[in-house]
């Protein structure tokens, strides 16, 4: 374990609260983040509401450049984050998790985070790597993506909106909607 987390103590709910809205740790890609009062997976109110902007581009959040660990070829990394369907009129059921291009330009996984008729969650599309989803109750899912790097570069957590498309390819681009949002908490990156 290399011990490089996007948030130095991401399991700690107070640290998760501070860091998911902190530009030191995160780069917002045509998205905004706001504090909310949604009960997080640890029972607190330390999650954030991540929303699209109206830009015609990618939408999401990723590890800021100064927080990305350098990696070599053949290293296996896992990124994970807790997500819950947002409260906006266009809150998506589908969210994407991927890694940097050091893991391949087409590696990603799309997750259905709508509780709907069941609580197990599903992976709706993926390319390479291993995707995982686990339900934690109260609408929260922990989604994870594990992959082995094909070259040197950096590792990062990349969460992307998909325009609610279950078969969207890696890092889709489209005109966003400000009422398309998702609750997010406890991101982590580890080797």
């Amino acid at each position: 374990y290399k011990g490089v987390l996007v948030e130095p103590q991401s399991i700690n709910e107070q640290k998760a609260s501070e860091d998911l809205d902190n530009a030191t740790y995160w780069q917002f890609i045509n998205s905004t983040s706001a504090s909310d009062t949604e009960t997080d997976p640890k029972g607190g109110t330390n999650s954030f509401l991540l929303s699209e902007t109206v830009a015609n581009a990618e939408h999401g959040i990723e590890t800021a450049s100064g927080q990305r660990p350098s990696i070599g070829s053949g290293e296996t990394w896992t990124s994970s984050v807790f997500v819950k369907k947002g409260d906006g009129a266009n809150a998506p059921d589908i969210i994407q998790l991927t890694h940097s291009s050091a893991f391949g330009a087409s590696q990603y996984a799309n997750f259905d985070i709508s509780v709907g008729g069941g609580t197990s969650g599903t992976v709706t599309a993926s390319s390479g790597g291993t995707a995982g989803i686990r339900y934690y109750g109260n609408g929260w899912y922990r989604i994870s993506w594990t992959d082995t790097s094909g070259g040197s570069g950096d590792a990062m957590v990349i969460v992307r909106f998909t325009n609610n498309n279950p078969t969207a390819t890696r890092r889709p681009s489209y005109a966003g909607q400000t009422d398309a949002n998702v609750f997010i908490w406890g991101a982590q990156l580890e080797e």
Side-chain angles (χ1 to χ4, degrees):
Y1 173 73
K2 262 193 179 163
V4 180
L5 303 178
V6 173
E7 301 166 358
Q9 301 170 16
S10 67
I11 300 305
N12 179 302
E13 69 230 40
Q14 182 61 39
K15 194 65 177 164
S17 172
E18 293 167 2
D19 292 348
L20 282 172
D21 200 31
N22 186 327
T24 298
Y25 296 102
W26 294 101
Q27 181 176 352
F28 293 87
I29 310 298
N30 301 303
S31 64
T32 61
S33 176
S35 297
D36 66 80
T37 58
E38 190 67 26
T39 302
D40 64 47
K42 296 276 286 190
T45 54
N46 296 308
S47 63
F48 283 83
L49 187 63
L50 184 67
S51 302
E52 295 178 346
T53 67
V54 296
N56 190 3
E58 294 180 40
H59 305 273
I61 191 170
E62 62 190 44
T63 310
S65 61
Q67 303 300 316
R68 300 173 188 167
S70 295
I71 62 170
S73 181
E75 293 184 13
T76 301
W77 287 78
T78 298
S79 59
S80 64
V81 65
F82 286 88
V83 292
K84 179 178 180 176
K85 185 176 170 109
D87 58 7
N90 286 299
D93 294 332
I94 310 298
I95 200 79
Q96 185 177 96
L97 196 56
T98 186
H99 285 309
S100 64
S101 58
F103 294 86
S106 63
Q107 311 284 53
Y108 71 94
N110 296 339
F111 302 89
D112 185 339
I113 60 168
S114 65
V115 175
T119 57
S120 62
T122 56
V123 177
T124 62
S126 66
S127 174
T130 303
I133 184 168
R134 181 176 171 200
Y135 187 66
Y136 275 77
N138 193 30
W140 285 99
Y141 291 91
R142 180 182 180 264
I143 59 174
S144 64
W145 178 246
T146 302
D147 203 3
T148 301
S149 58
S152 60
D154 56 22
M156 66 177 122
V157 176
I158 301 174
V159 178
R160 287 292 187 269
F161 288 96
T162 66
N163 202 21
N164 212 28
N165 179 353
T167 60
T169 56
R170 184 175 184 264
R171 299 170 70 161
S173 185
Y174 57 90
Q177 304 172 83
T178 58
D179 61 355
N181 55 31
V182 64
F183 294 104
I184 185 169
W185 181 85
Q188 181 173 309
L189 176 64
E190 60 188 324
E191 183 178 26

